[in-house]
Amino acid sequence: MNTPKFDWTINVSTMIAIGGVLAVAVTGWFTLREQVNTNTRDIGGLKISQAELVLKRDTRIVEVDRRLAAYDEVRFRVQAVEEALKATNARVDASLANISAGLREINQAVGGLATNVAVLTQRLEMQAPGRRAALGPVPPG
């Protein structure tokens, strides 16, 4: 049986083929290396951009937390003002109740005084009929 035999004779066409394969391999290697370097730079840039976005987000979160804390403070202040207003309203209501009671007493006293004046006027007219006090000037005589 015949065994396969390899011929080490190199001719020009073989050298051109080997040179072409080497040229394509070297070109492919450099192209692949450049793509890897470019992607590595892009990934590095993305990491920096991501870090900047995280810092901006954290800054915004801190700002929102600060604003919310101010709103909580305002809420407590409003509650304190509401409580003070309720207390003031209660004092005003109590004062108005006292004033109303005083006005009722004055009204009763004035009503009693009007009754007394009417009774006295009636008695005076009975004692001196026709003589009335006038607000005008006193007649001579």
Side-chain angles (χ1 to χ4, degrees):
M1 185 167 183
N2 294 336
T3 59
K5 186 175 167 185
F6 187 72
D7 186 12
W8 287 99
T9 307
I10 298 177
N11 56 19
V12 175
S13 62
T14 306
M15 289 189 67
I16 291 174
I18 291 173
V21 168
L22 287 176
V24 169
V26 169
T27 304
W29 170 257
F30 283 114
T31 303
L32 179 63
R33 190 170 135 194
E34 184 59 33
Q35 286 179 352
V36 167
N37 288 338
T38 302
N39 290 337
T40 304
R41 280 192 303 270
D42 290 345
I43 290 172
L46 288 176
K47 286 181 181 178
I48 291 171
S49 297
Q50 185 180 13
E52 289 173 354
L53 288 175
V54 167
L55 289 176
K56 286 180 183 177
R57 184 198 64 207
D58 290 347
T59 304
R60 287 182 182 164
I61 288 173
V62 167
E63 179 65 22
V64 167
D65 285 344
R66 186 186 62 78
R67 287 183 181 175
L68 288 176
Y71 289 137
D72 285 341
E73 183 179 320
V74 168
R75 183 173 51 113
F76 291 130
R77 286 183 181 179
V78 167
Q79 287 176 348
V81 169
E82 285 176 347
E83 293 300 321
L85 186 59
K86 286 178 184 177
T88 301
N89 286 343
R91 286 193 305 270
V92 168
D93 288 343
S95 296
L96 287 175
N98 290 335
I99 290 171
S100 295
L103 286 175
R104 278 193 297 276
E105 290 175 8
I106 290 172
N107 190 15
Q108 288 175 354
V110 168
L113 181 63
T115 304
N116 289 340
V117 169
V119 168
L120 289 176
T121 304
Q122 206 174 29
R123 284 184 185 170
L124 286 174
E125 285 195 5
M126 288 171 133
Q127 288 179 1
R131 288 182 61 195
R132 283 187 161 257
L135 294 177
V138 178

